[in-house]
Amino acid sequence: MTKLAYKKYEGSTRGQIIWEKLNPLRYTQTMSMARAQLLVDGYKEFEGYSFTRKRGLTVRKILQEMPIYIDDHQLLCGDFSSKPMGPEWFPDLAADWMREYVEKHGWQGSGKFFGFESPEQADQALDIAKYFKNTGGKEMWLKYLGPEEAAFEDKISERGAWIVNTISEMFAEKAWNVPDIGFRIVKKGIRGLIADIDEGLATYRCITDDEYRAHEFWQGLKEMLLGGIDYAHRYSALAKEMAEKEADPERKAELLEMARVCSRVPEYPAETFQEALQSFFFGVLMLFYDTRTYGMGFGRVDQFLYPTFKKDIESGYIDSEYALQLLECFRCKVMGKRQFWPDVMTPNLSSESHFHNCILAGVKPEDGSDATNELSFLWMEAAVRCKTTHPTLSIRYHNRINPKFMKRAMEVVSLGMGLPAFFGDDASIQYLLARGYTLEEARNYAIGGCVLHTVPGKTSSIWPLVMNYGKFMELTLFNGYDPLTDQELGPKTGDFTKMKTYEEFVEAYMTTCKYWAEVGSQSGRQCKIQHLESFPDMMMSAFTDDCIKRGKICSGGGAQHNDSCMYIVPIGAQDVGNELYILENHIFCDNPVCSKEELLAALKANWVGYEELQAKLKGLPKYGNDMPEVDQYVNWIYQAIIKIWKEIPATFSGNYEVAPHSIGFHGGCGAKTGALPCGRNARQAMADGAVSPGQGQDIMGPTAVIASAGSVDQVQLYGVLFNMRFSPASLATEEGRDNLAAMIKTYFSDYKGKHIQFNVISREDMMAAKKEPEKHKDLIVRVAGYSAYWTDLTSTIHDELILRSENEWSAV
Amino acid sequence: MKLEKKGNLVGQVFNIQRFSTHDGPGIRTTVFLKGCPLTCFWCQNPESQSRQPALMFRKNACVACGRCIPVCPSGANRIVDGVLVLDRDLCGKCGACVSACPKQGRSLEGRDMTVEKVIAEVRKDYLMYSNSGGGMTVSGGDCEMQPEFTVALLETAHDEGIRTAVEITGAFPWETVKRITDHADFILYDIKQMDNEKHKEGTGVPNVLVLENAKKLAGANKKILFRLPLIPGFNDHIENIGATARFVRSLGLSPAKHLELLPYNNLGEEKYARLEFEREHPNYKRQPEDYIKELKALCASI
């Protein structure tokens, strides 16, 4: 085969050149109303069709009419917006907040909030909001609830006391699972998927309501899929047109190859590496223009792209440098996905992560051997060369992982970009086997969202619920009263000062937890089912077994597995563990540190006038120091939370899963929680992640932290996030990095941990960055399951990151 | 020695540091014992020199609240002109004031611990040792000051499958050095100055035993890493580094691999103040990076 011609770069790489041009637009680009307007136009044009078919026809229209362009130097086609780095708005998720937004920020936007192109465009947005005032997802849900219930939701959500957050997905939607875009689109092509639909249609007989709906679902989905082909063909034509005008012969050749690729994929099975990657990316975009796909895992990107890569390299069609350039291009493309939603979400989830986790290495499904290949290395190199925050890379660790790959991974960690993160195959596979996946499926898991181990193409998209367990502690101490918002929230579990035993208190705390679990879960289920009527994840159904066969929408019963389709994110379990330790051993005991009355008074006063008591309580042992007598409380609370939620049904089947990975919510939840008995001040961030100690509370060094984190039985938890920070000096030498690798091995292989990730930056550097953010625009830090530019984060998260313990290999 | 008896042996320990990575291969737990035959003028751990516990007093944390006064059995604390003064001659090092201080301004460095107690702490990172090739390092002070206890620690660790290292000065009779190093898989060995007179001046003892024992250990094929803390003006000049490297070479070992140069640091400075130590901390500047490189190149050339 002839070798593909392409442009070589010296000095900067292709990805760097593209990103340098796009990066400044992150701060200056204005809104795009393209999708929102096409959605309105489509809904009007296809009025009268069933909702699912209308949706299908409309998404096809979007794909047919979305303005398109090709960036200089880019090798891939397709974009998340009508203009570079432009945010698209999804009024079908929630529309009404646009009025508030325009009122508050004006058409020119303010600070980090996007502006509009012109006053006319702002008016256009308001018109769209008006069109959706009754049919936006959130608007329909509020109608379902009625005003009284809606007011209650407000009272307990992040807008109010921050007890439980149900509706954030109404703005963010909708995934957190891992569709099997890779294998399906690469292997089958859209024509293959349509053949599956046609098979259903050919044998179609309408007897029941389900079959009637299946027919509409098939028709709608078929339109959407055809839209994907239309979309690619438009790029093929554009690339060809550009090639004709192109003077530079190398660029011309690139454009002609792009035109050729887009004429073939995603319609047909991919035959070259570029076709496979392009086809995959088109799949991502098709999903995006339908349901935005927040938290959607990209899957095992070094696996499903490998066959075409190997073939191209062996035949000499491309070399690995070209493959690397394609992956750099891919990174730039993913950065084009912007975050746009109401500002109430910002304190929790800043930084524009969409949690598109790319998974490398791990075991092979068929025989459990190491799956690392040349492409695994290239994905990492692309991230080193093209230092964008997204997509994040994660490595599935197992005992037989390629040592050279681990060595390189340690070097990349030491560069301080916050990636790659690591996942433990042992515990993750155990979890999936316990939920009925076959061994082969379980071994093939990837990551949805930050840390959710999910089998690609098997699981429904997911509806999360954030629960503030620190707040439950506060409510229990004050008998259902919330001192911060000065209101009775309930339940009334009894006067703390009158409680005789620790057991009595634990029972009261459990009552609170169960009460709010009932309230939250009811809300969550309603939300999820209601969403099928405004925002059904149809495109996701094309990439998830057995939606097409069943004729059902992915999150509407189509997916083979609904076992983890609803989960809670518990915030503050580590804090609660510390509180419980103190309550049992230092309050409900002989010679307590203080009386219960004094404790409550101190908490209410946020320690003002009780500084000495606070110092004493702060000085007591805390989780994270390899002290089993303290650590056991954290494990206990996690197992108790699992037990509660095992009893609570999720929609379609199964129960709620417990997925502790605070994302950014430890900041937001902490900010609305009062002082707590372990000496914590009111409004301070909760401990981050799932098993990380409270900020600065681990004083025995990293091996002790690992032992504490490992003391939590993680298998039954759905993803367990764990952050550690190291100083750059500690990873500057090979010995230092070898020791880090040994620590990772211990955590995963011996303690059966699920996830670990590192920030490598000194406290001094972060303080400097906080002082002069403008000088640190390129600083990347790890927050939760994602990395972020320092300047995109809120100051609460800055402080929390600075306070996270820094680990130094101790020197004598 | 019977196992039980060995476990009950008591030693004076001043710190157990988990996750040490500069005291031998892999991830290690370093046990610091009290007492040292040397009195190096730059000593980074002055609290380790004496076999007795050392009371550290952070004066800048003290608010002169006076809570330490009534708890002290020997009346060593008093307030003079609004400032709390600790009379170290009266202090019996009982530690009563440590828990009385609301500002965590005091600590007692050095406590009696049994072998079993130390090993229980060391055992905690067993998994880390297995995965990193690490283990336990017994350091000091100089662990040769407590030979019985050190040997018991090393033997017990070996019994539990934990690899061992010791950090020693070698300024003891060969019998002591041999007894301890027989149970060590790895030896960290300080050579501070090749010139005997200067060695005496800087550390209080001659270097004759140090060099003799080094020869014997190398002859016994022990795994050994010589370390040279670079003290400005005392031992960091080209002549001394060259002489040290030649000495290492004369033992049949490559200086590039078996001689580690440790650039100067001031990490111990604060301890001098907290201890109200008899000597001033020297407070030098760290050697410039280029100079360190030059010295390393010199070692590699020998």
Side-chain angles (χ1 to χ4, degrees):
Chain A
M1 198 178 256
T2 48
K3 201 174 161 144
L4 190 63
Y6 69 96
K7 208 175 175 72
K8 310 281 193 300
Y9 291 82
E10 268 169 45
S12 299
T13 68
R14 188 188 292 266
Q16 285 166 2
I17 290 168
I18 299 172
W19 182 234
E20 261 160 39
K21 219 168 144 194
L22 292 178
N23 193 8
L25 294 175
R26 296 195 313 129
Y27 306 101
T28 55
Q29 188 54 288
T30 51
M31 286 293 303
S32 164
M33 282 295 136
R35 181 193 177 272
Q37 188 60 56
L38 284 165
L39 186 73
V40 174
D41 297 349
Y43 275 14
K44 284 181 182 164
E45 185 180 340
F46 304 115
E47 200 175 358
Y49 282 103
S50 69
F51 179 62
T52 36
R53 198 168 340 172
K54 182 168 81 180
R55 190 84 189 160
L57 286 160
T58 301
V59 170
R60 183 172 189 185
K61 182 185 174 74
I62 292 171
L63 291 166
Q64 283 172 333
E65 296 179 30
M66 196 71 196
I68 61 168
Y69 58 92
I70 295 172
D71 284 325
D72 292 344
H73 306 281
Q74 250 298 350
L75 295 171
L76 293 174
C77 293
D79 277 289
F80 290 101
S81 174
S82 67
K83 52 188 179 184
M85 306 305 286
E88 292 290 337
W89 176 36
F90 283 62
D92 31 354
L93 281 168
D96 198 46
W97 62 276
M98 182 56 90
R99 280 187 309 118
E100 247 175 74
Y101 185 91
V102 174
E103 223 166 77
K104 192 167 163 196
H105 303 295
W107 74 269
Q108 284 170 304
S110 63
K112 282 182 182 177
F113 297 100
F114 294 106
F116 296 88
E117 282 168 9
S118 59
E120 291 72 31
Q121 198 200 29
D123 288 343
Q124 183 191 8
L126 292 176
D127 282 345
I128 294 169
K130 210 161 157 193
Y131 175 84
F132 275 105
K133 78 175 192 305
N134 293 316
T135 51
K138 193 193 166 196
E139 287 70 24
M140 283 175 75
W141 190 61
L142 291 177
K143 281 195 161 52
Y144 168 84
L145 286 179
E148 232 172 80
E149 281 272 312
F152 177 71
E153 287 283 336
D154 246 17
K155 194 163 107 175
I156 63 171
S157 73
E158 68 269 30
R159 287 174 188 262
W162 227 132
I163 289 173
V164 48
N165 163 322
T166 39
I167 57 161
S168 59
E169 293 303 284
M170 289 278 176
F171 303 108
E173 254 289 271
K174 176 183 223 173
W176 303 105
N177 61 338
V178 187
D180 188 10
I181 317 170
F183 284 101
R184 280 168 189 245
I185 227 164
V186 170
K187 269 195 170 162
K188 270 187 135 157
I190 285 179
R191 291 288 169 203
L193 293 172
I194 288 177
D196 292 345
I197 293 177
D198 286 342
E199 208 183 298
L201 283 170
T203 55
Y204 168 66
R205 267 181 91 208
C206 181
I207 297 164
T208 67
D209 175 85
D210 270 1
E211 281 135 7
Y212 176 85
R213 284 172 197 280
H215 179 266
E216 291 307 288
F217 161 74
W218 283 325
Q219 294 289 8
L221 181 58
K222 195 169 161 176
E223 291 296 333
M224 276 192 186
L225 289 168
L226 287 169
I229 299 173
D230 301 336
Y231 186 61
H233 285 176
R234 290 169 64 211
Y235 277 103
S236 180
L238 176 62
K240 205 168 160 201
E241 194 189 310
M242 285 169 74
E244 274 157 18
K245 289 182 203 147
E246 180 62 54
D248 178 352
E250 277 173 335
R251 182 62 183 158
K252 191 186 186 89
E254 288 172 6
L255 286 164
L256 285 174
E257 178 68 0
M258 288 158 79
R260 188 195 68 74
V261 166
C262 294
S263 72
R264 284 209 69 252
V265 294
E267 188 170 9
Y268 301 106
E271 284 172 2
T272 67
F273 179 63
Q274 185 167 347
E275 282 178 23
L277 186 64
Q278 178 67 71
S279 190
F280 172 67
F281 186 55
F282 276 139
V284 169
L285 290 166
M286 285 156 66
L287 280 153
F288 168 77
Y289 283 113
D290 182 20
T291 51
R292 201 166 185 271
T293 60
Y294 203 60
M296 177 183 87
F298 279 172
R300 303 184 73 181
V301 292
D302 60 346
Q303 302 302 303
F304 61 74
L305 294 171
Y306 187 63
T308 48
F309 170 80
K310 188 165 176 267
K311 195 181 115 197
D312 279 6
I313 294 285
E314 279 170 4
S315 71
Y317 185 57
I318 63 169
D319 54 16
S320 53
E321 170 59 28
Y322 185 70
L324 192 49
Q325 290 193 10
L326 280 168
L327 296 180
E328 284 186 68
C329 286
F330 181 76
R331 293 196 70 81
C332 296
K333 281 287 178 199
V334 174
M335 285 305 288
K337 188 173 177 183
R338 306 305 303 276
Q339 187 165 285
F340 178 60
W341 56 23
D343 32 317
V344 66
M345 294 290 292
T346 347
N348 302 314
L349 293 154
S350 33
S351 84
E352 296 209 282
S353 175
H354 303 275
F355 312 100
H356 297 316
N357 230 317
C358 292
I359 305 305
L360 308 176
V363 297
K364 285 184 185 164
E366 61 276 16
D367 59 6
S369 64
D370 181 36
T372 312
N373 58 39
E374 303 92 286
L375 201 50
S376 325
F377 282 88
L378 287 186
W379 273 101
M380 214 146 56
E381 291 321 308
V384 171
R385 278 217 222 167
C386 186
K387 286 189 177 50
T388 56
T389 44
H390 314 301
T392 196
L393 299 180
S394 297
I395 290 176
R396 277 180 44 184
Y397 182 88
H398 60 103
N399 262 344
R400 287 192 283 163
I401 193 165
N402 182 331
K404 211 174 130 197
F405 185 61
M406 264 315 266
K407 209 172 183 77
R408 183 61 187 143
M410 292 300 101
E411 285 167 9
V412 177
V413 165
S414 75
L415 298 177
M417 299 189 293
L419 57 85
F422 298 85
F423 288 90
D425 272 9
D426 291 358
S428 303
I429 290 171
Q430 279 182 32
Y431 168 95
L432 292 163
L433 289 174
R435 273 149 192 77
Y437 290 91
T438 66
L439 180 60
E440 200 159 316
E441 285 169 348
R443 280 172 169 170
N444 195 37
Y445 80 92
I447 298 297
C450 295
V451 288
L452 308 168
H453 28 56
T454 307
V455 181
K458 295 285 170 189
T459 311
S460 160
S461 49
I462 291 163
W463 199 273
L465 203 60
V466 184
M467 303 289 281
N468 186 351
Y469 278 83
K471 190 80 195 171
F472 300 160
M473 176 61 68
E474 191 185 9
L475 288 176
T476 312
L477 287 164
F478 289 97
N479 195 12
Y481 171 74
D482 178 25
L484 281 193
T485 56
D486 187 24
Q487 56 184 336
E488 293 290 339
L489 290 169
K492 286 207 151 307
T493 50
D495 182 345
F496 172 66
T497 60
K498 304 243 160 59
M499 291 180 187
K500 295 248 165 0
T501 62
Y502 170 72
E503 286 67 31
E504 215 176 306
F505 176 79
V506 166
E507 205 186 311
Y509 181 61
M510 285 294 113
T511 305
T512 308
C513 292
K514 282 177 194 160
Y515 174 84
W516 289 110
E518 275 304 332
V519 173
S521 65
Q522 173 77 354
S523 206
R525 285 185 301 259
Q526 292 178 114
C527 250
K528 184 175 178 242
I529 296 172
Q530 190 285 326
H531 229 211
L532 290 167
E533 290 173 21
S534 57
F535 204 75
D537 50 345
M538 286 176 67
M539 195 69 91
M540 187 65 83
S541 315
F543 302 110
T544 309
D545 292 340
D546 296 318
C547 304
I548 291 180
K549 208 157 119 196
R550 292 183 189 173
K552 281 189 170 173
I553 284 163
C554 182
S555 58
Q560 229 178 51
H561 283 264
N562 289 288
D563 32 69
S564 54
C565 72
M566 304 192 83
Y567 69 77
I568 65 142
V569 177
I571 306 296
Q574 305 98 299
D575 300 82
V576 171
N578 284 331
E579 315 306 345
L580 292 175
Y581 165 76
I582 282 174
L583 288 171
E584 177 160 25
N585 299 283
H586 298 281
I587 300 290
F588 286 98
C589 63
D590 301 335
N591 302 320
V593 172
C594 65
S595 70
K596 298 185 190 81
E597 287 77 8
E598 194 186 352
L599 182 64
L600 283 198
L603 296 179
K604 215 164 176 180
N606 193 19
W607 309 109
V608 176
Y610 297 88
E611 288 78 8
E612 218 168 284
L613 175 61
Q614 183 185 21
K616 248 190 228 167
L617 291 164
K618 269 190 163 172
L620 291 171
K622 298 283 183 294
Y623 166 79
N625 296 294
D626 193 10
M627 299 174 71
E629 64 273 28
V630 186
D631 298 347
Q632 60 172 332
Y633 288 89
V634 175
N635 187 44
W636 183 88
I637 185 64
Y638 272 127
Q639 305 311 322
I641 295 173
I642 292 173
K643 210 170 147 206
I644 290 173
W645 289 92
K646 265 220 169 337
E647 303 300 318
I648 296 186
T651 55
F652 296 105
S653 74
N655 53 273
Y656 272 85
E657 294 286 321
V658 177
H661 58 291
S662 69
I663 317 171
F665 288 107
H666 51 282
C669 285
K672 295 238 172 150
T673 305
L676 290 174
C678 69
R680 173 188 173 280
N681 280 323
R683 306 195 186 277
Q684 198 184 319
M686 301 275 180
D688 68 276
V691 288
S692 318
Q695 291 90 36
Q697 288 180 354
D698 49 318
I699 49 175
M700 294 301 291
T703 57
V705 178
I706 293 268
S708 288
S711 76
V712 174
D713 180 1
Q714 301 187 8
V715 171
Q716 295 295 353
L717 291 165
Y718 184 31
V720 182
L721 193 137
F722 182 24
N723 285 311
M724 283 186 102
R725 182 152 70 83
F726 282 91
S727 71
S730 61
L731 299 182
T733 63
E734 198 176 339
E735 292 78 31
R737 294 191 294 271
D738 285 351
N739 284 333
L740 185 66
M743 225 180 65
I744 292 173
K745 179 176 161 60
T746 309
Y747 186 57
F748 288 139
S749 299
D750 299 313
Y751 286 115
K752 306 293 177 216
K754 281 198 168 164
H755 161 273
I756 194 168
Q757 63 191 17
F758 307 95
N759 262 315
V760 181
I761 174 176
S762 68
R763 183 165 286 138
E764 292 71 40
D765 286 349
M766 281 200 265
M767 306 267 266
K770 200 182 170 191
K771 224 167 162 187
E772 295 178 292
E774 67 287 350
K775 282 192 185 158
H776 296 83
K777 280 195 168 175
D778 57 343
L779 176 61
I780 297 176
V781 290
R782 187 82 180 187
V783 184
Y786 59 93
S787 296
Y789 285 102
W790 177 264
T791 47
D792 289 355
L793 296 165
T794 62
S795 61
T796 324
I797 297 287
H798 283 162
D799 290 339
E800 187 260 310
L801 286 167
I802 289 170
L803 282 172
R804 279 186 198 170
S805 287
E806 173 177 292
N807 290 303
E808 184 71 74
W809 310 131
S810 55
V812 185
Chain B
M1 207 185 303
K2 270 204 187 132
L3 200 64
E4 213 172 287
K5 204 178 143 205
K6 198 160 66 183
N8 289 335
L9 255 181
V10 173
Q12 287 77 51
V13 178
F14 82 91
N15 193 9
I16 299 179
Q17 175 84 57
R18 289 170 73 172
F19 207 55
S20 298
T21 55
H22 297 292
D23 298 326
I27 297 173
R28 313 192 69 84
T29 296
T30 303
V31 182
F32 296 92
L33 303 189
K34 290 272 291 174
C36 187
L38 275 52
T39 51
C40 307
F41 67 87
W42 65 87
C43 180
Q44 273 190 23
N45 295 317
E47 76 276 28
S48 74
Q49 289 189 5
S50 149
R51 277 288 288 272
Q52 303 307 315
L55 184 68
M56 307 281 264
F57 175 24
R58 260 192 318 141
K59 283 191 180 157
N60 48 4
C62 180
V63 292
C65 68
R67 269 171 233 213
C68 50
I69 300 174
V71 299
C72 179
S74 48
N77 298 303
R78 66 210 151 87
I79 293 179
V80 180
D81 297 337
V83 178
L84 196 123
V85 179
L86 163 67
D87 188 335
R88 286 183 179 272
D89 292 335
L90 290 178
C91 172
K93 284 146 187 139
C94 67
C97 56
V98 171
S99 36
C101 179
K103 294 285 170 189
Q104 282 93 45
R106 295 194 181 197
S107 62
L108 198 62
E109 302 300 330
R111 57 202 152 126
D112 287 349
M113 284 180 90
T114 62
V115 167
E116 181 44 43
K117 208 123 188 229
V118 173
I119 294 292
E121 194 60 28
V122 170
R123 202 184 281 136
K124 285 185 170 173
D125 274 335
Y126 178 79
L127 296 167
M128 293 282 175
Y129 312 146
S130 326
N131 288 327
S132 68
M136 174 183 78
T137 298
V138 186
S139 176
D142 182 356
C143 59
E144 293 163 302
M145 288 285 276
Q146 302 185 41
E148 298 295 330
F149 186 66
T150 302
V151 169
L153 281 178
L154 297 172
E155 277 182 355
T156 313
H158 269 171
D159 289 346
E160 302 214 0
I162 297 170
R163 274 164 289 190
T164 61
V166 290
E167 188 183 20
I168 53 175
T169 64
F172 279 83
W174 169 242
E175 295 71 48
T176 309
V177 176
K178 182 172 184 313
R179 268 193 73 201
I180 286 174
T181 53
D182 272 352
H183 297 284
D185 302 308
F186 192 82
I187 300 161
L188 296 150
Y189 199 99
D190 273 18
I191 296 183
K192 285 160 176 134
Q193 169 60 268
M194 288 303 289
D195 182 275
N196 192 31
E197 283 310 308
K198 278 195 182 143
H199 194 276
K200 256 197 265 181
E201 228 169 82
T203 72
V205 301
N207 69 5
V208 182
L209 277 176
V210 176
L211 299 180
E212 266 177 23
N213 288 332
K215 270 183 212 156
K216 287 177 183 160
L217 284 174
N221 278 330
K222 297 297 287 187
K223 266 192 197 153
I224 191 163
L225 176 68
F226 293 104
R227 299 214 285 196
L228 205 172
L230 296 171
I231 311 304
F234 171 66
N235 64 6
D236 66 344
H237 44 278
I238 302 278
E239 294 73 32
N240 185 53
I241 306 300
T244 314
R246 279 191 297 280
F247 173 72
V248 172
R249 175 57 77 193
S250 76
L251 305 178
L253 299 170
S254 134
K257 256 176 130 179
H258 294 272
L259 176 61
E260 190 182 8
L261 304 179
L262 305 171
Y264 180 78
N265 70 61
N266 277 318
L267 291 176
E269 185 180 6
E270 174 65 20
K271 291 181 175 179
Y272 278 64
R274 290 184 191 179
L275 209 57
E276 298 170 276
F277 202 56
E278 55 218 23
R279 290 192 307 270
E280 289 277 304
H281 185 266
N283 201 2
Y284 295 129
K285 273 205 173 71
R286 183 193 158 101
Q287 291 84 2
E289 215 40 58
D290 285 346
Y291 185 59
I292 303 282
K293 267 189 197 153
E294 195 184 318
L295 295 182
K296 281 186 179 163
L298 171 67
C299 289
S301 73
I302 289 170

